[in-house]
Amino acid sequence: MRKNSLCLILLMSAVFIVSCDKPNVRMHTIIREDGLCEREVSYTTIMSKEMRDSLWGGNKVSWACPVPECLNPNAFMDSHTRTEEDTVTTTFRNIFHSVEEMCLQSPLQLNGARLKSTAKLEKKNRWFYTLYTYTETFTCVGDTFKIPATDYADKDVVRYWFTGQPNLLHGLSGAEASEKISKMESFVTQWINDNFFKLCFDFIVNNYDSIQNPPVGKEQFVELHDSLANYLLSSMGDILLVNPNETFEKFFHSDAYAIFFDGDTPCGKALEEELSTHMNIFWFSVPYSLTMPGTIVDAGTGVVKDGVIHYPLTGERLIPQDYTITATSRVTHTWTYVAAFFILLVFIGSFLYKGRKRKDKRIKSRFEERVSSKKNE
């Protein structure tokens, strides 16, 4: 029996949120000059030879296992797997005729649904160069939470906490920045506490008829909402660290609510799934890299390294609003410089030729005047 399964999920969630583990899945988008685009997604797992032989069958090579839940491999036409001892990396790849087509076949998914995004590629031709501006916007998932974060803090504060923009710490000293962040952290903790408590509480209310011999009636249970919430957080300020089964039993002096915190019961399993739907947003993290044609002139909020722009694509950044990445690059037209050079040479040559011709004409005119003058003498 998994009596503390919900508590374990909450604890793992808390550990994950504060951890700095290297993300497993990475996505790379390549924009070409002709408008075609390419998307690659790779992930790495550890598989022993015995595991590979068992899953792949002898010397055959297949996808690295397990395939991450945030990835839909069926969105790709081509795949390649590389093995280095027990480290197995699988890369999926597709080429698209347009960025719009690429977004319609997004390989990323969240809670089993395709992570929606829209993209646009603008091309501005100039005589000496062409500017390419690529923009991709990922759809907000903040409506998953019943209580919006903006109920607890100003919109800009919410955006800064989850996305880093706008920079509310600009010009602040270390002490001032620390104090401001501390205040932000308290609102986030309260927001998470209230959302997860509401999720669990509403679920129990909606399934109250499943409880055998409840210590209080449904109406009285609803009336105890505030008292139960305060009791849950009395010992720990973070609901993610609370053992709900133990706390409910102490509060009501009954284990009647244990069915909601036991993953082996229908109610417990359903509540786990509800909880996971919310926690998956915090777990979602896919570093996004972008290669643009030519020289990068504006990377937006990304960081350029070796000609590639890197963006953090996380579930948290999708909470306050749509998350947009944008970049601009410039492709120089070498032939225009060559043409301009030849035009300049022709211009200079024509100028020199005309100048020489005018000079010869003046000399000839003077000579004729002298000859005419001698004849007159």
Side-chain angles (χ1 to χ4, degrees):
M1 298 289 287
R2 295 182 294 164
K3 291 291 185 182
N4 295 321
S5 57
L6 182 60
C7 179
L8 182 59
I9 290 178
L10 290 171
L11 183 59
M12 289 175 62
S13 302
V15 172
F16 181 88
I17 290 175
V18 299
S19 68
C20 297
D21 292 338
K22 186 178 181 180
N24 185 38
V25 181
R26 297 177 178 276
M27 185 164 72
H28 185 200
T29 299
I30 302 172
I31 305 298
R32 300 181 180 177
E33 290 185 41
D34 56 6
L36 294 179
C37 49
E38 183 178 337
R39 177 155 278 176
E40 294 181 349
V41 176
S42 62
Y43 67 98
T44 301
T45 62
I46 302 299
M47 299 177 65
S48 64
K49 187 178 185 307
E50 292 76 14
M51 185 183 298
R52 297 197 300 272
D53 291 341
S54 174
L55 295 175
W56 296 351
N59 295 323
K60 297 180 181 179
V61 177
S62 185
W63 298 342
C65 293
V67 178
E69 292 184 1
C70 67
L71 182 59
N72 176 21
N74 296 322
F76 290 95
M77 300 295 294
D78 181 41
S79 66
H80 172 73
T81 298
R82 184 181 73 256
T83 302
E84 295 181 3
E85 297 183 349
D86 290 342
T87 302
V88 183
T89 301
T90 294
T91 301
F92 296 101
R93 175 177 173 269
N94 252 5
I95 296 179
F96 303 93
H97 292 92
S98 67
V99 296
E100 291 81 6
E101 178 189 3
M102 178 177 66
C103 287
L104 291 176
Q105 301 183 43
S106 174
L108 302 180
Q109 55 188 20
L110 185 57
N111 291 320
R114 181 176 65 88
L115 185 65
K116 297 179 181 180
S117 70
T118 57
K120 179 173 61 175
L121 179 62
E122 294 182 335
K123 185 177 179 181
K124 295 181 180 180
N125 291 310
R126 300 291 187 267
W127 175 253
F128 289 105
Y129 60 87
T130 297
L131 287 177
Y132 293 84
T133 299
Y134 175 72
T135 303
E136 184 168 4
T137 301
F138 294 87
T139 303
C140 172
V141 298
D143 57 359
T144 302
F145 300 92
K146 294 182 179 180
I147 307 175
T150 48
D151 285 0
Y152 299 80
D154 180 75
K155 184 178 179 180
D156 284 344
V157 173
V158 174
R159 288 177 55 203
Y160 174 76
W161 181 267
F162 290 113
T163 71
Q165 298 293 330
N167 185 6
L168 301 182
L169 303 183
H170 179 71
L172 298 182
S173 66
E176 291 168 340
S178 177
E179 181 181 0
K180 195 174 187 69
I181 290 177
S182 179
K183 292 180 180 178
M184 294 182 191
E185 188 175 8
S186 64
F187 106 74
V188 173
T189 300
Q190 185 180 356
W191 172 71
I192 291 177
N193 287 345
D194 291 351
N195 265 286
F196 281 101
F197 177 79
K198 180 174 178 60
L199 185 154
C200 294
F201 190 87
D202 289 352
F203 184 89
I204 294 175
V205 171
N206 293 333
N207 295 273
Y208 211 81
D209 293 341
S210 301
I211 306 173
Q212 295 183 0
N213 302 318
V216 297
K218 183 176 180 179
E219 292 183 1
Q220 186 178 355
F221 180 82
V222 173
E223 292 175 356
L224 291 172
H225 176 280
D226 293 345
S227 299
L228 179 58
N230 292 332
Y231 184 79
L232 277 170
L233 299 173
S234 61
S235 59
M236 294 184 180
D238 193 336
I239 199 171
L240 298 179
L241 303 178
V242 172
N243 184 328
N245 185 38
E246 181 180 307
T247 305
F248 267 72
E249 186 172 345
K250 288 182 179 180
F251 184 84
F252 290 101
H253 304 288
S254 169
D255 62 356
Y257 301 97
I259 60 171
F260 295 105
F261 313 116
D262 182 356
D264 289 331
T265 66
C267 286
K269 185 176 181 180
L271 182 55
E272 278 188 16
E273 292 175 355
E274 286 280 341
L275 178 67
S276 295
T277 297
H278 291 68
M279 290 313 307
N280 284 341
I281 295 176
F282 294 100
W283 290 343
F284 182 86
S285 179
V286 178
Y288 183 114
S289 57
L290 174 65
T291 298
M292 295 286 290
T295 303
I296 299 168
V297 295
D298 185 3
T301 59
V303 176
V304 182
K305 183 178 181 181
D306 298 329
V308 178
I309 314 173
H310 299 270
Y311 302 89
L313 176 57
T314 62
E316 290 186 349
R317 284 174 167 77
L318 302 175
I319 291 177
Q321 60 185 26
D322 293 347
Y323 177 60
T324 300
I325 63 171
T326 183
T328 300
S329 65
R330 180 176 58 207
V331 175
T332 301
H333 301 160
T334 305
W335 66 269
T336 59
Y337 285 93
V338 175
F341 177 72
F342 278 108
I343 291 174
L344 181 61
L345 287 180
V346 171
F347 176 77
I348 294 174
S350 176
F351 178 78
L352 294 176
Y353 174 77
K354 290 180 179 180
R356 180 61 180 272
K357 192 173 182 180
R358 285 194 297 269
K359 183 178 180 180
D360 292 344
K361 188 176 181 179
R362 288 197 299 270
I363 294 174
K364 183 178 179 181
S365 176
R366 291 175 183 174
F367 177 75
E368 290 176 349
E369 288 177 358
R370 291 178 182 178
V371 172
S372 177
S373 175
K374 289 182 179 180
K375 287 181 179 181
N376 292 333
E377 292 176 358

